[in-house]
Amino acid sequence: MRHIVVLSGAGMSAESGISTFRDNGGLWDKYDISEVATPEAWARQPELVLEFYNMRRAALAEVEPNSGHLALTQLEEHFDVSIITQNVDDLHERAGSRNILHLHGELTKVRSTKNEDHIQDIGYQNLKLGDKCPDGGQLRPHIVWFGEEVPKLMEAAQITRTADILLIIGTSMQVYPASQLIYEASPNCEVYYIDPDPAPVYGISNLKVIKEKAGIGVPALVHNLMSKNQ
Ligand code: OAD
């Protein structure tokens, strides 16, 4: 089976009602990254950091996967599909995709500040100061903050190298190192980038840019790929 790798960003979930970060009115217009999404913020004002992720977890409970997430699941009938997402929501999972790597962590999980491998589910509930892991460590959001290592980067790069087709969906390609994964694809990989306001991408020969929202562009591309593969 041919291997399709999907690299998704915040635009993938925009039509579900989750704010992107860098569009007008996006999350980073309303919040200062350095106040809510860095290890320094956590050390200085953990209550505010917890409130930010509690708010996002509660919002996630209220939304549903959109037609883009759902269309991607159909690809699994004809292709080997790997999803690498920068998103911390669980909408790919809830749509039914099976093979998902979260590069920047997951809202529905928390982990110990004593041991980063001690991860537990929290679902859509609030996390408070004083909520401890059985190892005694305060629990923190299972999110990769700015300034932290991206533990799954090597795995993501390895997966991308084996892609026959790469779909990049709804990302401004501004956040390193996720933005560099496209350069791991082999020279004969077909690359599609679906975004209504795509970032300039240089040096990729088989790139096709589709200026559409995910909810329209993804189902249309999935339909094309499936019919070409019959
Ligand atoms: P951005 O907010 O930077 O970019 C969102 C992209 O989605 C833009 O290119 C928009 O044009 C596009 N977009 C908006 N609506 C769309 C729609 N309906 N369909 C498709 N695309 C749409 O989000 P990311 O690139 O995902 O990291 O940001 C990367 C990382 O920066 C995030 O994972 C997050 C953030 O800071 C952390 O918090 C660690």
Side-chain angles (χ1 to χ4, degrees):
M1 268 202 212
R2 297 179 84 206
H3 187 199
I4 296 192
V5 175
V6 177
L7 299 178
S8 64
M12 180 86 232
S13 300
E15 287 154 274
S16 293
I18 299 183
S19 272
T20 61
F21 296 94
R22 294 177 185 77
D23 290 307
N24 278 340
L27 271 181
W28 297 150
D29 268 356
K30 299 193 186 100
Y31 296 88
D32 185 340
I33 291 180
S34 64
E35 298 286 315
V36 292
T38 63
E40 293 76 18
W42 174 245
R44 209 170 49 235
Q45 47 197 16
E47 293 91 347
L48 187 63
V49 174
L50 289 175
E51 197 184 300
F52 176 67
Y53 290 100
N54 287 342
M55 174 272 291
R56 292 179 61 195
R57 221 176 277 116
L60 179 55
E62 302 298 317
V63 303
E64 298 292 339
N66 63 52
S67 52
H69 296 104
L70 294 169
L72 290 177
T73 66
Q74 294 166 23
L75 286 173
E76 294 185 16
E77 292 166 25
H78 291 291
F79 298 91
D80 180 18
V81 180
S82 306
I83 296 188
I84 299 170
T85 185
Q86 295 172 82
N87 297 345
V88 296
D89 66 51
D90 60 355
L91 296 181
H92 284 301
E93 281 87 349
R94 281 201 255 150
S97 286
R98 284 183 297 184
N99 192 4
I100 305 159
L101 180 151
H102 284 272
L103 209 52
H104 293 161
E106 294 172 72
L107 272 177
T108 55
K109 293 184 178 162
V110 292
R111 69 171 187 259
S112 171
T113 44
K114 277 198 176 164
N115 184 331
E116 63 185 18
D117 295 327
H118 293 173
I119 300 166
Q120 40 181 279
D121 288 326
I122 190 167
Y124 309 106
Q125 288 164 12
N126 284 344
L127 180 64
K128 301 183 294 299
L129 276 187
D131 289 345
K132 301 262 174 73
C133 181
D135 70 9
Q138 167 68 44
L139 290 166
R140 58 162 273 181
H142 182 49
I143 300 288
V144 177
W145 286 324
F146 285 87
E148 293 187 316
E149 295 274 305
V150 180
K152 297 211 169 152
L153 181 63
M154 291 303 143
E155 195 185 337
Q158 181 54 41
I159 293 169
T160 308
R161 273 179 222 130
T162 64
D164 297 299
I165 302 173
L166 183 62
L167 311 188
I168 300 176
I169 306 169
T171 172
S172 62
M173 309 277 273
Q174 282 194 37
V175 174
Y176 179 87
S179 57
Q180 300 304 298
L181 283 172
I182 187 172
Y183 297 105
E184 298 291 341
S186 85
N188 26 6
C189 178
E190 291 167 41
V191 184
Y192 299 89
Y193 177 19
I194 301 177
D195 193 304
D197 185 15
V201 176
Y202 304 103
I204 301 291
S205 44
N206 294 332
L207 174 67
K208 178 145 193 260
V209 177
I210 301 169
K211 270 191 158 200
E212 289 277 12
K213 291 184 172 183
I216 300 283
V218 176
L221 180 59
V222 165
H223 179 78
N224 273 350
L225 292 171
M226 303 269 281
S227 42
K228 273 205 273 178
N229 204 54
Q230 301 276 309

